Amino acid sequence: MPAAPKRITLDDLEAFAIGAWILGTGGGGDPYFSLLEARQHWGAGKSVELIDPLSLGDDDAICCIGQMGAPIAMQEKMVDGPLISRTITMMEEHIGKKFKAIMMWEVGGNNGFQPFLAGAILGLPVVDCDAMGRAFPQADMTTFAIRDLPAYPWTMIDIRNNSVIITSAVDWSWMERMTRKVCTVWGSLAATCKAPRNGREVKESSCLNTATKAIRIGRTVQAARRAHTDPIEAVVKSEHGLLVFRGKVTDVMRRATEGWLRGTVVIEGLDGNRGQTFRVDFQNEWSVGWQDDEVRVTVPDLICIMDTVSGEAVGTETVRYGQRVTVIALPAPAILMSPKGLKHVGPRAFGYDLDFKSIFPESVR
Amino acid sequence: MIRLGIDVGGTNTDAVLVDDTKVLHAVKTATTQDVGDGIVTVLGRLVKESAVDPGRIDAVMIGTTHFTNAVVQRRHVAKIAAVRVGLPAAATLPPFVDWPADLRTLSQGPTFMIHGGHEVDGLPLAPFDRAAMKDAAKKIRDAGVEAVGICAVFSPLTYAAEQEAAEILEATIPGISITQSHELGRIGLLARENVTLLNAALVGLARRTAEGFVRALAESGIKAPLYITQNDGTVSLADQAARFPVHCFASGPTNSLRGAAYLSGLKDAMVVDVGGTTSDVGCLRHGFPREANNNVEVGGVRTAFRMPDLLSIGLGGGTLVDPKDPAKIGPVSVGYQLTERGLVFGGAELTCTDIAVAAGLIDLGDRGRVARLDKGFVAAALDRCHAMLAESVDRMKTEAGDVPLIAVGGGCFLVPATMEGVSEVVHVPHQGVANAVGAAIAQVSGEVDQVFQGLKREEALERARKLAAERAVRAGASRVSLAVVEQEDIPLSYLPGNSLRVRVRVVGDIASIEVAGRL
């Protein structure tokens, strides 16, 4: 039985911001700007309904939206609900069909917020699912790419009202390469509406109930803070995660290769990890973690680094020398761990000569 | 070189004379309604007691919490105009969008969003709308506000749009006070704009305060140049500081950390400053306070200030102890009324100072008045104080090994002699006026936070270091003393041309007097 639609409150979104930032696994951007805009929409009496993907009809038209570009551009130009909404109406005009609902492209960070802004503006419900179950750096790292669903059409727009419709692409990696170029020309930020999906595709090929999951994680953090208990341990417990490592950041090395932010963070152990060292690589999001030179955790398992004191998620662009952090792992959606899934989002897709071995025992997954 | 350090706090105004190697003399007095009067008083005593000729003083450094208090207490904050140049970007989040309602009501005057600004690669985001800016300038003139804050998209990389807006404002309203965001903040529009608007709202107060300082010095016969201490443990010349009061927000705790470093000779250590109401724990790295990196709120406004990473707890000399339960300490304090309300001073309240007197740690007031306190109770209360401080120190520690802990402030007798994870608890002479000492020994700095494109990493770092050094010299540093204290580089994802965001901070000692400017 599909769950009944749920009216999303501003209170839900405050929790969503916390949870989505954690599910961003270091990427996806700070949800603060979107939260500010949401406060305006909700303050003006607007809101959205969150609907269960299983309630969709097989032929319902669903759009997938998100921002693409450099976090630095978002820090200055911020995000804009009206703009992302226009990518949706552009797509509706292009395909000659009205959308029934909006879904998140990636639940992680600021991007998870986009359907809630557009939904409030356009009066459309948001489907409780996304195409990553976390955040990843590329369009070809999605459940829809894993299932080989068509990568086109695609609409994108910038703040000046420059727009592009890509009517076809051979595959997801070509779509990624083409759109990345356009995005860079526009000042490294673009609002995008990805290839539309029908209800059946969404039900079969997305990560289900991820908005609910983000809200739940946010509520766990809020409750722990109110009770003055450790929010990180609370998240680990409620999400069946693992506390991987606790320590202080002693080195941050960031470098640009192949157009991505890549680098390594070194964490010296504290408490139970005293005397041990944890090293984690990233490509926009945290990708592989080694403890004392042994591989401990890799994508697609969710590697989340949190500020030990505040319990807030830490981004790959903001992690700093001397910061006290806790590394936790959360289980990945099953589709990402399938043999086909691992081709798209496993360690080898990130350039590591490593086989994926989940940090979680089989029984937990 | 003799320097005069002054700390104008909420309760006390302290002054110290420091020569190149030692503290010559220190005086503590009460802060007054007109801060200048308190300075005249403290300087009168200092000159008389130390017998130092005021004409021999080479530089004066003043630290003050005046501007932070203005924002926190919502007093003396001016109504200002705001101009953002950046449409069509960010239209949904206008200036003041995340300010607390009461502060916004107090400070928000005419607010405008204009087309213009730049992209991350330096290209124009949109053509600058001169007509709209001219219209805004007229409306700002008609509103009669005394200050304007201007913020353009990506101005830390390309600030032409802010300058163009400022020129139109100056032409329309000659003499109006203008704060441009690129002079103040880093990338991150909302936080930079908030800082710019806060600054504009405080510029008038800062100018009047600085004038009060200058008048007080003149009345005391001191002709040395005046510097104001900043958040990062460095100073700027008073005229520069009066233009950027937001840079002085955290100078109080910063000065006590720096003073602790100077008095102890330690460059890497933890510091605990135990006052009357709170204990602040910070960390020294290379002689400077470790900065907090997260978004810092001032009076409820989200900013991106350089501030010391500080942990404050409600424990000080005036903190109340529950007479029935020695584990219940604080957070309420009798504050500046300690000498009336504390037991040893003839009052009726049991404070941490009374516990310390009963335990024989200090000799203050009438010891007989705490003689009847149960020894076990006194020991338990003291244990609780020690545990509270130890927990704070542990939370702030970033070194795995044992580090020294410097105890400063009037209530430092509450700091235990030993602590887990601490190699040594260091007590030093003049520890009670560490903040004035910190002001006296402050340095000047220059900072760069910029994106470099098409350069090798080493070339970009070298260019940033040179720029920062030039800025430090322009701020009054002597070239021979310059040292890089911070260097951070971040390659930017998605951007073309090997883009590198470089942040460098260079500090140096204050140059000789003839180089330095005057207010």
Side-chain angles (χ1 to χ4, degrees):
Chain A
M1 261 303 273
K6 176 184 157 46
R7 184 60 57 181
I8 292 293
T9 64
L10 192 55
D11 196 50
D12 293 327
L13 289 182
E14 304 271 349
F16 179 81
I18 298 169
W21 202 196
I22 292 171
L23 291 174
T25 65
D30 188 340
Y32 182 64
F33 305 128
S34 287
L35 184 59
L36 280 181
E37 186 181 327
R39 284 179 190 156
Q40 297 178 11
H41 295 312
W42 264 252
K46 291 177 186 162
S47 68
V48 298
E49 217 165 48
L50 186 68
I51 58 172
D52 188 337
L54 299 182
S55 71
L56 295 176
D58 281 355
D59 296 326
D60 287 346
I62 308 299
C63 61
C64 315
I65 58 168
Q67 301 280 340
M68 80 180 284
I72 188 179
M74 203 185 286
Q75 275 180 287
E76 282 289 314
K77 295 193 278 187
M78 301 195 273
V79 293
D80 197 356
L83 193 68
I84 193 97
S85 301
R86 292 229 298 279
T87 65
I88 297 175
T89 45
M90 246 173 91
M91 183 65 85
E92 284 179 334
E93 283 160 22
H94 176 67
I95 61 174
K97 200 191 272 188
K98 289 279 178 194
F99 287 113
K100 171 99 188 273
I102 313 169
M103 71 172 271
M104 303 178 284
W105 186 235
E106 60 179 2
V107 65
N110 186 59
N111 249 349
F113 245 103
Q114 302 309 303
F116 293 97
L117 298 181
I121 289 166
L122 299 174
L124 284 173
V126 174
V127 192
D128 191 0
C129 62
D130 77 317
M132 297 185 190
R134 42 170 296 159
F136 278 125
Q138 297 168 205
D140 50 356
M141 296 177 166
T142 56
T143 55
F144 299 148
I146 291 167
R147 288 283 161 84
D148 292 321
L149 299 179
Y152 60 89
W154 174 304
T155 63
M156 57 196 294
I157 190 166
D158 83 346
I159 50 169
R160 285 152 291 237
N161 208 20
N162 290 310
S163 64
V164 168
I165 300 175
I166 295 180
T167 54
S168 72
V170 172
D171 58 23
W172 286 94
S173 61
W174 270 108
M175 183 60 91
E176 165 66 32
R177 287 155 74 182
M178 291 190 287
T179 52
R180 190 66 61 183
K181 289 280 183 205
V182 175
C183 168
T184 305
V185 170
W186 285 350
S188 297
L189 191 62
T192 61
C193 181
K194 329 282 179 178
R197 301 271 79 102
N198 64 40
R200 189 177 44 81
E201 290 170 333
V202 171
K203 285 184 275 188
E204 289 176 0
S205 303
S206 70
C207 298
L208 303 179
N209 306 318
T210 45
T212 299
K213 181 178 181 176
I215 293 170
R216 186 179 68 221
I217 293 174
R219 294 227 184 279
T220 303
V221 170
Q222 290 171 326
R225 281 187 189 146
R226 274 197 300 274
H228 297 288
T229 57
D230 183 357
I232 301 170
E233 274 174 26
V235 169
V236 166
K237 189 157 175 260
S238 74
E239 298 305 314
H240 309 289
L242 268 178
L243 208 150
V244 179
F245 199 82
R246 190 162 269 191
K248 287 169 187 166
V249 175
T250 55
D251 190 27
V252 179
M253 190 179 62
R254 295 181 176 100
R255 63 188 190 279
T257 51
E258 301 158 63
W260 304 109
L261 182 70
R262 281 192 164 140
T264 305
V265 171
V266 179
I267 306 163
E268 295 293 337
L270 281 176
D271 305 333
N273 294 113
R274 217 170 267 277
Q276 297 169 318
T277 303
F278 195 84
R279 181 163 54 90
V280 58
D281 276 5
F282 58 89
Q283 178 187 345
N284 286 11
E285 282 84 21
W286 313 115
S287 51
V288 180
W290 291 264
Q291 189 164 328
D292 293 337
D293 295 326
E294 297 254 327
V295 175
R296 183 86 197 279
V297 58
T298 80
V299 279
D301 281 348
L302 278 69
I303 306 168
C304 311
I305 301 189
M306 328 254 291
D307 185 293
T308 303
V309 178
S310 71
E312 277 168 46
V314 176
T316 54
E317 283 234 327
T318 59
V319 64
R320 71 182 156 100
Y321 181 92
Q323 195 165 17
R324 293 182 70 151
V325 296
T326 301
V327 183
I328 67 170
L330 299 179
I335 181 173
L336 303 183
M337 294 187 289
S338 66
K340 178 70 161 65
L342 290 174
K343 278 189 186 158
H344 289 261
V345 300
R348 289 181 203 283
F350 287 78
Y352 295 93
D353 189 19
L354 291 172
D355 290 320
F356 171 69
K357 189 174 169 295
S358 178
I359 194 169
F360 297 99
E362 203 79 36
S363 58
V364 174
R365 288 182 272 150
Chain B
M1 185 170 183
I2 296 179
R3 298 173 176 198
L4 169 61
I6 303 173
D7 178 80
V8 183
T11 313
N12 289 311
T13 296
D14 304 339
V16 298
L17 280 174
V18 174
D19 76 0
D20 291 330
T21 53
K22 61 182 184 299
V23 175
L24 298 175
H25 194 70
V27 176
K28 200 182 242 317
T29 62
T31 295
T32 49
Q33 184 68 32
D34 177 336
V35 291
D37 294 346
I39 292 176
V40 171
T41 307
V42 83
L43 291 184
R45 270 187 57 192
L46 192 71
V47 167
K48 195 170 155 204
E49 291 172 19
S50 68
V52 169
D53 172 7
R56 282 187 57 212
I57 295 169
D58 296 301
V60 182
M61 284 84 169
I62 300 183
T64 181
T65 50
H66 218 55
F67 310 128
T68 329
N69 292 346
V71 176
V72 172
Q73 298 169 7
R74 314 292 200 235
R75 290 162 55 213
H76 311 300
V77 178
K79 193 172 280 290
I80 54 154
V83 175
R84 183 196 289 169
V85 188
L87 287 181
T92 48
L93 301 177
F96 296 99
V97 66
D98 60 346
W99 285 41
D102 58 343
L103 189 59
R104 187 173 174 165
T105 306
L106 210 59
S107 21
Q108 183 173 11
T111 302
F112 302 91
M113 292 198 279
I114 307 267
H115 280 80
H118 289 80
E119 293 282 7
V120 66
D121 55 9
L123 291 172
L125 185 143
F128 181 75
D129 189 345
R130 290 186 65 87
M133 188 59 230
K134 281 181 177 169
D135 185 52
K138 280 182 197 135
K139 286 177 177 148
I140 292 168
R141 181 191 59 201
D142 296 345
V145 294
E146 68 173 53
V148 187
I150 304 173
C151 185
V153 170
F154 272 119
S155 69
L157 304 184
T158 314
Y159 52 76
E162 288 187 358
Q163 283 188 326
E164 208 165 347
E167 278 162 21
I168 291 171
L169 277 165
E170 272 158 8
T172 315
I173 322 163
I176 190 162
S177 167
I178 297 171
T179 301
Q180 296 183 38
S181 84
H182 74 271
E183 300 178 286
L184 275 169
R186 300 191 186 148
I187 286 163
L189 181 90
L190 215 51
R192 186 174 74 251
E193 183 176 75
N194 282 345
V195 168
T196 304
L197 298 176
L198 274 178
N199 194 75
L202 289 172
V203 154
L205 173 68
R207 194 172 42 234
R208 293 190 294 276
T209 306
E211 282 164 6
F213 290 162
V214 168
R215 197 172 53 244
L217 292 184
E219 280 177 34
S220 308
I222 295 165
K223 295 187 175 65
L226 170 62
Y227 297 87
I228 309 287
T229 67
Q230 301 189 281
N231 300 332
D232 67 349
T234 64
V235 292
S236 27
L237 282 161
D239 58 348
Q240 181 86 352
R243 288 182 56 218
F244 302 117
V246 291
H247 279 166
C248 308
F249 272 160
S251 61
T254 301
N255 287 342
S256 73
L257 282 158
R258 291 266 299 142
Y262 177 84
L263 292 169
S264 65
L266 299 171
K267 291 204 176 253
D268 294 284
M270 303 291 296
V271 178
V272 58
D273 183 351
V274 187
T277 306
T278 63
S279 293
D280 299 330
V281 179
C283 185
L284 285 167
R285 246 187 95 240
H286 309 312
F288 281 81
R290 187 180 76 213
E291 286 179 11
N293 196 43
N294 300 332
N295 291 295
V296 178
E297 285 193 359
V298 178
V301 179
R302 193 163 143 135
T303 71
F305 283 127
R306 295 170 295 169
M307 295 262 201
D309 192 4
L310 217 62
L311 181 65
S312 283
I313 57 164
L315 178 66
T319 300
L320 291 172
V321 181
D322 187 333
K324 293 190 191 73
D325 184 356
K328 281 192 188 160
I329 296 180
V332 179
S333 166
V334 295
Y336 67 94
Q337 296 175 313
L338 175 63
T339 51
E340 296 153 32
R341 291 169 64 188
L343 273 187
V344 292
F345 298 106
E349 317 256 25
L350 179 62
T351 67
C352 288
T353 297
D354 299 311
I355 294 293
V357 171
L361 293 174
I362 42 163
D363 194 7
L364 265 180
D366 179 2
R367 205 171 169 167
R369 288 180 54 82
V370 289
R372 62 183 169 76
L373 285 178
D374 177 66
K375 277 199 167 53
F377 181 93
V378 169
L382 205 57
D383 277 352
R384 180 65 197 137
C385 292
H386 291 176
M388 287 167 76
L389 290 171
E391 194 192 319
S392 306
V393 169
D394 184 58
R395 277 181 63 188
M396 289 298 286
K397 253 186 79 180
T398 56
E399 314 289 323
D402 289 359
V403 291
L405 173 72
I406 311 164
V408 296
C412 57
F413 48 79
L414 290 174
V415 181
T418 60
M419 209 181 268
E420 198 180 329
V422 167
S423 57
E424 181 194 3
V425 176
V426 181
H427 290 270
V428 287
H430 303 296
Q431 62 195 142
V433 291
N435 44 15
V437 174
I441 55 134
Q443 296 181 297
V444 289
S445 72
E447 191 176 276
V448 164
D449 181 2
Q450 199 172 310
V451 173
F452 293 87
Q453 287 182 314
L455 292 179
K456 287 199 184 114
R457 182 168 180 270
E458 258 320 305
E459 292 168 350
L461 292 177
E462 182 57 33
R463 195 174 287 190
R465 283 193 293 264
K466 272 193 179 149
L467 260 171
E470 283 313 313
R471 285 176 190 178
V473 169
R474 230 183 302 145
S478 101
R479 200 172 282 276
V480 290
S481 68
L482 294 179
V484 176
V485 292
E486 254 184 69
Q487 182 174 295
E488 182 188 36
D489 63 290
I490 311 164
L492 298 168
S493 54
Y494 313 99
L495 296 183
N498 197 20
S499 305
L500 198 65
R501 176 174 174 183
V502 183
R503 187 181 153 212
V504 172
R505 190 150 58 101
V506 169
V507 304
D509 295 328
I510 286 168
S512 55
I513 306 153
E514 60 270 22
V515 177
R518 277 156 205 271
L519 187 71

